[in-house]
mmCIF file of all heavy atoms in Angstrom:
data_model
loop_
_atom_site.group_PDB
_atom_site.id
_atom_site.type_symbol
_atom_site.label_atom_id
_atom_site.label_comp_id
_atom_site.label_asym_id
_atom_site.label_seq_id
_atom_site.Cartn_x
_atom_site.Cartn_y
_atom_site.Cartn_z
ATOM 1 N N LEU B 355 -34.792 -7.295 26.034
ATOM 2 C CA LEU B 355 -33.900 -8.344 26.503
ATOM 3 C C LEU B 355 -33.200 -9.162 25.461
ATOM 4 O O LEU B 355 -32.047 -9.361 25.521
ATOM 5 C CB LEU B 355 -34.804 -9.319 27.414
ATOM 6 C CG LEU B 355 -33.995 -10.357 28.131
ATOM 7 C CD1 LEU B 355 -32.938 -9.752 29.028
ATOM 8 C CD2 LEU B 355 -34.916 -11.220 29.026
ATOM 9 N N PRO B 356 -33.972 -9.690 24.373
ATOM 10 C CA PRO B 356 -33.168 -10.368 23.378
ATOM 11 C C PRO B 356 -32.137 -9.464 22.680
ATOM 12 O O PRO B 356 -31.048 -10.013 22.255
ATOM 13 C CB PRO B 356 -34.256 -10.819 22.371
ATOM 14 C CG PRO B 356 -35.442 -10.791 23.175
ATOM 15 C CD PRO B 356 -35.360 -9.703 24.118
ATOM 16 N N HIS B 357 -32.408 -8.154 22.576
ATOM 17 C CA HIS B 357 -31.372 -7.325 22.007
ATOM 18 C C HIS B 357 -30.044 -7.384 22.732
ATOM 19 O O HIS B 357 -29.007 -7.448 22.176
ATOM 20 C CB HIS B 357 -31.854 -5.877 21.970
ATOM 21 C CG HIS B 357 -33.098 -5.640 21.167
ATOM 22 N ND1 HIS B 357 -33.656 -4.431 20.952
ATOM 23 C CD2 HIS B 357 -33.833 -6.519 20.471
ATOM 24 C CE1 HIS B 357 -34.716 -4.546 20.164
ATOM 25 N NE2 HIS B 357 -34.885 -5.814 19.796
ATOM 26 N N VAL B 358 -30.234 -7.308 24.098
ATOM 27 C CA VAL B 358 -28.992 -7.364 24.977
ATOM 28 C C VAL B 358 -28.272 -8.692 24.703
ATOM 29 O O VAL B 358 -27.035 -8.675 24.565
ATOM 30 C CB VAL B 358 -29.396 -7.226 26.468
ATOM 31 C CG1 VAL B 358 -28.215 -7.401 27.308
ATOM 32 C CG2 VAL B 358 -30.015 -5.907 26.718
ATOM 33 N N LEU B 359 -28.920 -9.789 24.676
ATOM 34 C CA LEU B 359 -28.361 -11.125 24.533
ATOM 35 C C LEU B 359 -27.573 -11.185 23.249
ATOM 36 O O LEU B 359 -26.415 -11.618 23.183
ATOM 37 C CB LEU B 359 -29.397 -12.237 24.594
ATOM 38 C CG LEU B 359 -30.204 -12.295 25.863
ATOM 39 C CD1 LEU B 359 -31.194 -13.450 25.771
ATOM 40 C CD2 LEU B 359 -29.342 -12.463 27.108
ATOM 41 N N ILE B 360 -28.207 -10.686 22.148
ATOM 42 C CA ILE B 360 -27.568 -10.835 20.809
ATOM 43 C C ILE B 360 -26.390 -9.799 20.636
ATOM 44 O O ILE B 360 -25.490 -10.137 19.964
ATOM 45 C CB ILE B 360 -28.682 -10.717 19.797
ATOM 46 C CG1 ILE B 360 -29.723 -11.852 19.891
ATOM 47 C CG2 ILE B 360 -28.072 -10.637 18.429
ATOM 48 C CD1 ILE B 360 -29.023 -13.119 19.962
ATOM 49 N N LEU B 361 -26.606 -8.619 21.208
ATOM 50 C CA LEU B 361 -25.577 -7.625 21.145
ATOM 51 C C LEU B 361 -24.241 -8.173 21.593
ATOM 52 O O LEU B 361 -23.209 -8.196 20.851
ATOM 53 C CB LEU B 361 -25.983 -6.427 21.962
ATOM 54 C CG LEU B 361 -25.300 -5.099 21.730
ATOM 55 C CD1 LEU B 361 -26.157 -3.986 22.251
ATOM 56 C CD2 LEU B 361 -23.907 -4.959 22.385
ATOM 57 N N THR B 362 -24.267 -8.769 22.785
ATOM 58 C CA THR B 362 -22.991 -9.399 23.332
ATOM 59 C C THR B 362 -22.602 -10.605 22.480
ATOM 60 O O THR B 362 -21.391 -10.782 22.259
ATOM 61 C CB THR B 362 -23.140 -9.721 24.759
ATOM 62 O OG1 THR B 362 -24.310 -10.516 24.972
ATOM 63 C CG2 THR B 362 -23.226 -8.467 25.641
ATOM 64 N N ALA B 363 -23.606 -11.338 21.999
ATOM 65 C CA ALA B 363 -23.261 -12.627 21.309
ATOM 66 C C ALA B 363 -22.550 -12.289 19.992
ATOM 67 O O ALA B 363 -21.712 -12.986 19.509
ATOM 68 C CB ALA B 363 -24.535 -13.366 20.978
ATOM 69 N N ILE B 364 -22.874 -11.156 19.416
ATOM 70 C CA ILE B 364 -22.231 -10.801 18.107
ATOM 71 C C ILE B 364 -20.726 -10.505 18.299
ATOM 72 O O ILE B 364 -19.906 -10.987 17.570
ATOM 73 C CB ILE B 364 -22.921 -9.562 17.471
ATOM 74 C CG1 ILE B 364 -24.318 -9.855 16.938
ATOM 75 C CG2 ILE B 364 -22.057 -8.953 16.414
ATOM 76 C CD1 ILE B 364 -25.073 -8.756 16.413
ATOM 77 N N VAL B 365 -20.445 -9.744 19.387
ATOM 78 C CA VAL B 365 -19.038 -9.475 19.641
ATOM 79 C C VAL B 365 -18.302 -10.678 20.066
ATOM 80 O O VAL B 365 -17.128 -10.885 19.568
ATOM 81 C CB VAL B 365 -18.963 -8.287 20.704
ATOM 82 C CG1 VAL B 365 -17.466 -7.897 20.835
ATOM 83 C CG2 VAL B 365 -19.779 -7.111 20.249
ATOM 84 N N VAL B 366 -18.916 -11.546 20.916
ATOM 85 C CA VAL B 366 -18.249 -12.745 21.268
ATOM 86 C C VAL B 366 -18.057 -13.655 19.984
ATOM 87 O O VAL B 366 -17.019 -14.240 19.801
ATOM 88 C CB VAL B 366 -19.021 -13.503 22.288
ATOM 89 C CG1 VAL B 366 -18.549 -14.926 22.490
ATOM 90 C CG2 VAL B 366 -19.005 -12.798 23.592
ATOM 91 N N GLY B 367 -19.079 -13.600 19.081
ATOM 92 C CA GLY B 367 -18.997 -14.358 17.832
ATOM 93 C C GLY B 367 -17.802 -13.986 17.007
ATOM 94 O O GLY B 367 -17.076 -14.902 16.535
ATOM 95 N N VAL B 368 -17.475 -12.669 16.931
ATOM 96 C CA VAL B 368 -16.350 -12.281 16.069
ATOM 97 C C VAL B 368 -15.046 -12.693 16.799
ATOM 98 O O VAL B 368 -14.041 -13.098 16.179
ATOM 99 C CB VAL B 368 -16.343 -10.818 15.745
ATOM 100 C CG1 VAL B 368 -15.950 -9.957 16.893
ATOM 101 C CG2 VAL B 368 -15.343 -10.563 14.622
ATOM 102 N N ALA B 369 -15.036 -12.668 18.093
ATOM 103 C CA ALA B 369 -13.842 -13.104 18.857
ATOM 104 C C ALA B 369 -13.527 -14.598 18.637
ATOM 105 O O ALA B 369 -12.457 -14.935 18.418
ATOM 106 C CB ALA B 369 -14.009 -12.759 20.381
ATOM 107 N N THR B 370 -14.613 -15.368 18.698
ATOM 108 C CA THR B 370 -14.350 -16.805 18.500
ATOM 109 C C THR B 370 -14.026 -17.137 17.043
ATOM 110 O O THR B 370 -13.230 -17.985 16.788
ATOM 111 C CB THR B 370 -15.625 -17.591 18.899
ATOM 112 O OG1 THR B 370 -16.760 -16.983 18.335
ATOM 113 C CG2 THR B 370 -15.764 -17.631 20.396
ATOM 114 N N THR B 371 -14.630 -16.349 16.145
ATOM 115 C CA THR B 371 -14.273 -16.507 14.736
ATOM 116 C C THR B 371 -12.775 -16.192 14.552
ATOM 117 O O THR B 371 -12.091 -16.974 13.809
ATOM 118 C CB THR B 371 -15.098 -15.515 13.819
ATOM 119 O OG1 THR B 371 -16.499 -15.756 13.972
ATOM 120 C CG2 THR B 371 -14.728 -15.684 12.344
ATOM 121 N N ALA B 372 -12.308 -15.198 15.195
ATOM 122 C CA ALA B 372 -10.868 -14.866 15.029
ATOM 123 C C ALA B 372 -10.048 -15.955 15.589
ATOM 124 O O ALA B 372 -8.981 -16.370 15.060
ATOM 125 C CB ALA B 372 -10.581 -13.560 15.784
ATOM 126 N N LEU B 373 -10.518 -16.617 16.691
ATOM 127 C CA LEU B 373 -9.742 -17.715 17.272
ATOM 128 C C LEU B 373 -9.729 -18.889 16.304
ATOM 129 O O LEU B 373 -8.665 -19.535 16.056
ATOM 130 C CB LEU B 373 -10.451 -18.147 18.578
ATOM 131 C CG LEU B 373 -9.582 -19.094 19.508
ATOM 132 C CD1 LEU B 373 -8.269 -18.405 19.901
ATOM 133 C CD2 LEU B 373 -10.377 -19.428 20.723
#
Side-chain angles (χ1 to χ4, degrees):
Chain B
L355 186 58
H357 297 181
V358 174
L359 302 178
I360 295 311
L361 198 159
T362 50
I364 289 174
V365 184
V366 170
V368 75
T370 48
T371 302
L373 193 62

